[in-house]
Amino acid sequence: MASSHTDCHFCLQSLRGRKYVQREENAYCVPCYDSLYANPCEECKQPIECSSKDLAYKGRHWHEGCFRCAKCSRSLVEKPFAAKDEVLLCTECYSDEYSSKCFHCQKTIMPGSRKMEFKGSSWHESCFVCQHCQQPLGTKPLITKDNENYCVPCFEKQFAHHCYACKKVITSGGVTYHDQPWHKECFVCALCKTQLSRQKFISKDEYSYCVDCFSKFYAKKCAACKKPITALGGAKYISFEEHQWHGECFNCVKCSESLVGQEFLTRQDGILCHKCGSA
């Protein structure tokens, strides 16, 4: 532009008939302005002169011709782009290098598009649907079976077991006993209501009992040691007439020899081996 100022503010040379740039009410000749204020280009490191277009992004500057994708070198002027570690990439190159693949369709999830994250995998929002009804799951409660996701109503309709005790749906953490499903919190001792899923228990007449309750109310007492006979773990016990013994307690009361599988005699004070009984 033609100058109405007399001299360059920096070099003080006349601006008559010369182009100049005005900055903060001061006028500069073009060489002085470029040397003082021109931004260096991120790509070529040369000053971006006032006669060139200065493209800026997050405090960094480029010549128009230098504003290119770092991978394919295509111009990014007036085109969408993405930045990774301060490197500029067109959307296609960025997607190839860094974008997630949809777990369902295996296609790239383009930058800027909405994606869903679930169990370490990414999904297009339109792909994250119930396997049965195909309705979007979004942030709704869901249940996974065989790597497929289901909304709760569809899962209950298709797969869920109902607790033998409370008849409600078992969604996770169930227990199976005698081919019957139970909630852990429903599978309890019939007397004291202690949960039985992590301890030994005994069943009688379609009811289950913890060992303490069964021993207290139902177990027969050993004629020798007077302790309950629970038969836990397949332990053997001996029964004769109205008396029972633990296998390890079925011994001669005089010589303490085991009588399991042996002939024995009975007396009022207990059982005797044939030798002690004949003495």
Side-chain angles (χ1 to χ4, degrees):
M1 66 177 62
S3 175
S4 61
H5 292 73
T6 305
D7 301 318
C8 171
H9 184 72
F10 185 72
C11 69
L12 304 180
Q13 294 186 17
S14 175
L15 296 176
R16 291 185 180 277
R18 301 172 62 189
K19 291 183 177 181
Y20 72 95
V21 181
Q22 189 166 336
R23 178 185 175 92
E24 297 177 355
E25 299 183 357
N26 296 315
Y28 300 85
C29 64
V30 172
C32 286
Y33 182 86
D34 288 342
S35 66
L36 291 171
Y37 301 113
N39 294 307
C41 175
E42 287 287 330
E43 178 64 22
C44 69
K45 310 306 179 184
Q46 298 299 313
I48 303 174
E49 300 173 343
C50 63
S51 58
S52 301
K53 185 177 287 188
D54 186 334
L55 301 180
Y57 174 70
K58 289 189 175 181
R60 301 157 66 201
H61 301 263
W62 289 263
H63 288 105
E64 186 175 13
C66 294
F67 197 60
R68 302 188 299 263
C69 172
K71 185 176 181 183
C72 70
S73 298
R74 284 184 291 183
S75 175
L76 298 177
V77 177
E78 296 183 359
K79 292 182 179 179
F81 63 90
K84 178 70 175 179
D85 300 327
E86 298 188 354
V87 174
L88 302 185
L89 299 167
C90 65
T91 54
E92 291 83 358
C93 289
Y94 183 90
S95 297
D96 291 343
E97 289 288 326
Y98 302 110
S99 290
S100 303
K101 296 289 191 299
C102 176
F103 183 83
H104 178 73
C105 69
Q106 295 303 309
K107 294 180 180 179
T108 298
I109 301 175
M110 298 298 290
S113 62
R114 189 174 181 184
K115 69 177 180 179
M116 309 302 296
E117 298 281 348
F118 180 65
K119 289 188 175 180
S121 298
S122 301
W123 309 65
H124 290 112
E125 186 177 23
S126 59
C127 292
F128 194 58
V129 298
C130 171
Q131 180 66 19
H132 183 69
C133 68
Q134 298 300 306
Q135 294 300 306
L137 290 169
T139 57
K140 298 177 183 177
L142 61 91
I143 301 172
T144 300
K145 177 179 174 63
D146 299 331
N147 289 327
E148 299 289 356
N149 300 319
Y150 299 85
C151 63
V152 174
C154 284
F155 181 87
E156 292 180 353
K157 181 179 179 181
Q158 295 292 313
F159 305 110
H161 296 289
H162 290 76
C163 177
Y164 182 78
C166 70
K167 311 304 179 185
K168 294 181 180 180
V169 170
I170 300 173
T171 57
S172 63
V175 176
T176 300
Y177 180 64
H178 284 181
D179 296 325
Q180 296 168 341
W182 307 67
H183 290 112
K184 283 185 178 180
E185 57 271 22
C186 293
F187 190 57
V188 297
C189 173
L191 292 174
C192 70
K193 306 305 179 184
T194 301
Q195 287 193 26
L196 300 176
S197 59
R198 294 185 179 180
Q199 63 174 297
K200 293 180 179 179
F201 62 91
I202 301 170
S203 294
K204 177 181 173 62
D205 300 331
E206 298 185 358
Y207 292 97
S208 296
Y209 303 88
C210 66
V211 174
D212 289 341
C213 285
F214 185 86
S215 298
K216 182 178 180 181
F217 292 100
Y218 296 107
K220 297 181 182 298
K221 300 297 190 294
C222 176
C225 70
K226 309 304 180 184
K227 293 180 180 180
I229 300 174
T230 62
L232 279 176
K236 294 181 179 180
Y237 70 96
I238 292 89
S239 178
F240 178 71
E241 294 181 346
E242 296 181 357
H243 301 288
Q244 289 80 31
W245 293 262
H246 292 109
E248 63 272 19
C249 294
F250 194 60
N251 303 321
C252 175
V253 295
K254 284 191 175 181
C255 69
S256 299
E257 180 181 353
S258 174
L259 298 177
V260 177
Q262 307 294 322
E263 292 183 357
F264 63 91
L265 301 174
T266 59
R267 293 288 187 270
Q268 289 183 348
D269 56 347
I271 53 175
L272 301 169
C273 65
H274 190 271
K275 181 178 179 181
C276 291
S278 300

